[in-house]
Amino acid sequence: MKENMKDPYNTKLQVDIGGLVLKNPVMTASGTFGYGEEYANFIDLNRLGALIVKGISLERRVGNPPHRIMETPCGMLNAIGLENVGVRSFLDEKLPFLKNFDVPVIVNIFGETVEEYRKLAQALSDVRGVDGLEVNISCPNVLKGGVEFGTDPDMANKVTRAVKSVTDLPVIVKLTPNVTDIAEIARSVEEGGADAVSLINTLKGMSIDIEGRVPHLKNITGGLSGPAIKPVALRMVWEVVKSVSIPVIGVGGIMDAADAVEFLIAGAKAVQIGTANFVNPHTTIDVLEGIDNYLIEHGIDDINDLIGTLKV
Amino acid sequence: MPHKTVRMSGKIIFNREIAKGHFLMSLNVSGHFSSAEASFRGVTPGQFVMLRAKGRDVPFLRRPMSIYSLYPSAGDLIIELLYRVAGKGTFVISRLKPDDEIDILGPLGRGFDIFPHCKRVVLVAGGIGIAPLSFLGHYYGADTVNKPPQIICYVGAQRADLLVGLDRMDEICSDIRISTDDGSRGYHGLVTELFEQDITLYNSSDSVVYSCGPFPMIKSLAEILRNQAVPCQVSVEERMACGVGACLGCAISVKSGYRKVCKDGPVFDIHELVWD
């Protein structure tokens, strides 16, 4: 599209996430949108701000034994265990489909060691169709790696540095809420060179079958997501926005545009839609259109004029 | 025939309790949603839909339900679901009234394989597991190209008053054999025991067995069929979030690893399942 023919709709919603310019701030959250193809029937993927795919590891992972999910009031618990096809199959079998769309693809990466994160970043850099990396140091459902990196500021810093040392792609680090002070972790990954942070991943929780007196999940514990965690996510986004100067992406229980606008007002430059995709596969587009309507109704010409405008 | 999964809106025609805790719901997907009828053309028995009551936050996730029957009516699509109240989610759905709107995703999953020249179809149903098997039996019965096969049905329930769906089975089956756990009707015992008594009647050259029911029943059937050559396909259940293969929540163990019940199933070859 020529510069002077820019669609005002696009201009108004455009945000910059650490050098990655998105046509709008609505992304999919990793692990809730498969590799994109699962939802291509329901929405036009081209309309998304960015698509974050299911977390990828170096080798294929089979994930945790069933049962893996349980509904909770206003949300769900999951213990999938990062089942994924592995980076090679992702590049060969999944990415070609996504190249058919005009949507930035951000690959969520997961390793059990710092070296694995580095290798993954290397394998995904300079690949046409990969526009950014989201570093998952926050999965509560795996024994090694995951949240053990995300709860230790030094380790979080080390992983970020390792990834940044081998890639020019924008690097987003996804943070866990299962810490005492999330702002401290955010500062440590900023110091490590992260271009942005996304938060929150799931909150660790559990659920018990009172008839059998056994956990509902085979993994015993799982990650809580959905609207139940939104107030926690919003509070943490607000805390982190005040603590770092890199962009913050808000994730956690966003079900509609009003939820998303709350995160933007709190200072998030973009939002990710997660569990809501399961409930309503059209949520991302509904949120996008709702944000646009909100801006029009409130006479705001540029979404960046809304971001971080919380009055306290 | 390939079909596309769509999200559509249905209106409840009726949602009535036909036995304690067992409901029959009829949904009208109006002509306004013209893509729905096209999508459901080519649906195979064993496929399912996921439901959510419009405007209600409970249950949070959609509920998967097997398609019990499906037919066009005056330009609309009618979907019938036979379900049991198993928890809070299905309880809320059971309270819905005529004209209440339902948000539907479907058709979903991989249904039963159809063997057009099969001479004998054996259905083994446990409780509400009769729902997809009834659809399957009618599907075979409606075969206008090939001579419809003989359909034999084994139906089990805890008690006589919990036997549901027999009226429709009567229309298509040459033989219905009933068991109840408490002996209040038919054979006193498990439906799998009843089936086992007849096992020698069925062989791989002319018969196929289909089953749906509680997990222990399927496991028991697998043991009975372990050394039998007769093919057997089963529809299994697992908790689901998305229904479209994205969340990976509905994993089930098969010999080659984990499979997604929503996308790779819910129908599997019984000999592929792993029982741990």
Side-chain angles (χ1 to χ4, degrees):
Chain A
M1 192 180 289
K2 287 179 188 166
E3 196 64 21
N4 61 356
M5 288 175 65
K6 260 188 184 169
D7 182 348
Y9 176 87
N10 286 339
T11 307
K12 193 167 58 182
L13 292 170
Q14 189 170 293
V15 291
D16 184 331
I17 303 292
L20 182 63
V21 178
L22 310 182
K23 52 187 173 247
N24 67 68
V26 181
M27 311 163 133
T28 59
S30 175
T32 65
F33 211 70
Y35 300 104
E37 57 201 3
E38 292 85 348
Y39 284 99
N41 262 356
F42 299 104
I43 64 162
D44 177 2
L45 301 183
N46 294 312
R47 295 187 66 191
L48 296 170
L51 197 156
I52 305 188
V53 294
K54 171 80 186 156
I56 298 292
S57 46
L58 275 178
E59 303 298 330
R60 174 177 168 263
R61 285 177 66 96
V62 295
N64 290 332
H67 305 297
R68 290 178 171 184
I69 60 167
M70 185 66 200
E71 188 178 85
T72 67
C74 290
M76 61 179 279
L77 282 167
N78 90 79
I80 308 300
L82 288 170
E83 175 180 335
N84 78 90
V85 297
V87 70
R88 188 45 49 202
S89 294
F90 169 74
L91 292 174
D92 293 345
E93 296 159 23
K94 304 296 184 183
L95 191 61
F97 173 79
L98 292 172
K99 283 183 186 162
N100 296 321
F101 299 91
D102 177 26
V103 57
V105 172
I106 297 172
V107 181
N108 181 289
I109 58 172
F110 162 79
E112 292 188 354
T113 62
V114 174
E115 183 57 14
E116 283 187 14
Y117 280 101
R118 200 185 60 78
K119 281 185 180 166
L120 273 162
Q122 218 158 21
L124 289 158
S125 292
D126 305 321
V127 173
R128 196 176 68 81
V130 175
D131 302 287
L133 300 177
E134 184 179 61
V135 182
N136 179 1
I137 54 167
S138 44
C139 178
N141 298 322
V142 289
L143 287 175
K144 287 185 190 166
V147 81
E148 76 182 34
F149 291 120
T151 52
D152 178 339
D154 291 338
M155 288 305 293
N157 178 286
K158 211 171 270 182
V159 172
T160 311
R161 279 184 191 282
V163 169
K164 282 295 289 183
S165 71
V166 293
T167 185
D168 294 327
L169 289 171
V171 171
I172 303 162
V173 180
K174 187 167 184 178
L175 307 182
T176 174
N178 301 307
V179 290
T180 311
D181 181 4
I182 195 168
E184 182 190 11
I185 308 285
R187 282 191 298 271
S188 71
V189 302
E190 179 181 39
E191 205 268 327
D195 299 292
V197 285
S198 53
L199 56 135
I200 54 175
N201 204 320
T202 54
L203 280 153
K204 197 169 180 178
M206 69 184 288
S207 168
I208 293 172
D209 169 4
I210 61 168
E211 295 305 321
R213 302 187 198 179
V214 291
H216 273 124
L217 300 176
K218 186 80 173 175
N219 196 51
I220 305 175
T221 61
L224 179 66
S225 64
I229 72 166
K230 198 199 84 182
V232 177
L234 194 59
R235 183 265 295 178
M236 289 187 158
V237 163
W238 178 65
E239 286 176 353
V240 170
V241 164
K242 290 189 296 179
S243 305
V244 296
S245 46
I246 52 176
V248 174
I249 301 166
V251 202
I254 296 174
M255 298 299 288
D256 57 26
D259 290 340
V261 168
E262 281 192 67
F263 277 88
L264 296 170
I265 292 171
K269 273 200 130 180
V271 292
Q272 294 179 8
I273 310 298
T275 302
N277 290 309
F278 303 153
V279 177
N280 170 10
H282 206 260
T283 306
T284 46
I285 304 304
D286 293 348
V287 167
L288 171 57
E289 291 175 349
I291 292 173
D292 196 35
N293 286 336
Y294 177 88
L295 294 177
I296 293 166
E297 282 167 16
H298 292 78
I300 300 166
D301 296 330
D302 183 334
I303 193 165
N304 292 288
D305 294 338
L306 173 70
I307 291 165
T309 54
L310 181 68
K311 301 166 194 162
V312 285
Chain B
M1 190 190 297
H3 52 263
K4 189 174 164 182
T5 299
V6 292
R7 178 176 169 227
M8 70 208 109
S9 183
K11 201 172 252 190
I12 293 178
I13 303 168
F14 61 80
N15 185 27
R16 67 172 76 108
E17 190 167 23
I18 54 166
K20 189 175 167 51
H22 292 66
F23 287 77
L24 176 61
M25 181 194 283
S26 181
L27 289 167
N28 183 319
V29 182
S30 83
H32 173 67
F33 297 90
S34 54
S35 65
E37 206 264 331
S39 268
F40 276 86
R41 200 172 292 147
V43 162
T44 53
Q47 289 193 282
F48 66 99
V49 292
M50 288 189 89
L51 305 182
R52 194 163 196 255
K54 275 198 175 174
R56 293 183 196 225
D57 292 334
V58 178
F60 176 64
L61 296 173
R62 289 169 182 273
R63 286 296 182 272
M65 287 187 191
S66 290
I67 298 168
Y68 182 44
S69 112
L70 186 77
Y71 55 92
S73 170
D76 296 343
L77 173 74
I78 309 294
I79 303 173
E80 287 189 316
L81 306 163
L82 185 64
Y83 65 98
R84 183 174 71 88
V85 174
K88 289 175 191 167
T90 36
F91 174 77
V92 169
I93 289 171
S94 75
R95 299 293 100 184
L96 298 175
K97 304 277 182 240
D99 288 335
D100 282 348
E101 284 197 71
I102 297 259
D103 190 332
I104 307 165
L105 285 191
L108 296 162
R110 196 180 73 83
F112 294 107
D113 287 336
I114 303 294
F115 301 93
H117 303 291
C118 175
K119 286 186 187 150
R120 192 177 290 137
V121 167
V122 185
L123 309 174
V124 183
I128 201 67
I130 201 164
L133 298 178
S134 175
F135 185 14
L136 177 67
H138 281 82
Y139 194 90
Y140 267 110
D143 189 340
T144 51
V145 179
N146 304 292
K147 187 181 171 211
Q150 180 192 16
I151 300 172
I152 300 125
C153 187
Y154 296 81
V155 185
Q158 284 180 311
R159 306 187 306 264
D161 61 333
L162 297 179
L163 287 160
V164 292
L166 292 179
D167 48 343
R168 293 201 189 170
M169 281 299 190
D170 267 338
E171 296 166 8
I172 49 162
C173 294
S174 59
D175 191 7
I176 298 183
R177 306 206 56 200
I178 292 169
S179 75
T180 49
D181 295 358
D182 68 354
S184 51
R185 186 167 166 193
Y187 173 79
H188 186 171
L190 301 173
V191 70
T192 43
E193 294 164 5
L194 196 57
F195 170 75
E196 192 172 17
Q197 291 173 6
D198 295 347
I199 188 75
T200 51
L201 300 174
Y202 311 123
N203 59 67
S204 60
S205 63
D206 65 0
S207 304
V208 56
V209 178
Y210 298 98
S211 184
C212 183
F215 191 78
M217 187 200 101
I218 303 288
K219 187 176 179 185
S220 160
L221 188 64
E223 280 160 18
I224 292 165
L225 292 171
R226 185 179 294 161
N227 299 315
Q228 304 289 331
V230 59
C232 178
Q233 298 195 334
V234 291
S235 176
V236 298
E237 273 190 326
E238 184 50 82
R239 288 195 287 267
M240 288 179 192
C242 72
V244 298
C247 74
L248 311 180
C250 61
I252 188 171
S253 296
V254 300
K255 284 179 180 163
S256 54
Y258 295 130
R259 288 284 174 276
K260 292 171 277 196
V261 170
C262 74
K263 197 85 180 174
D264 304 316
V267 174
F268 293 90
D269 180 329
I270 200 166
H271 301 296
E272 285 301 307
L273 300 176
V274 172
W275 313 93
D276 43 31

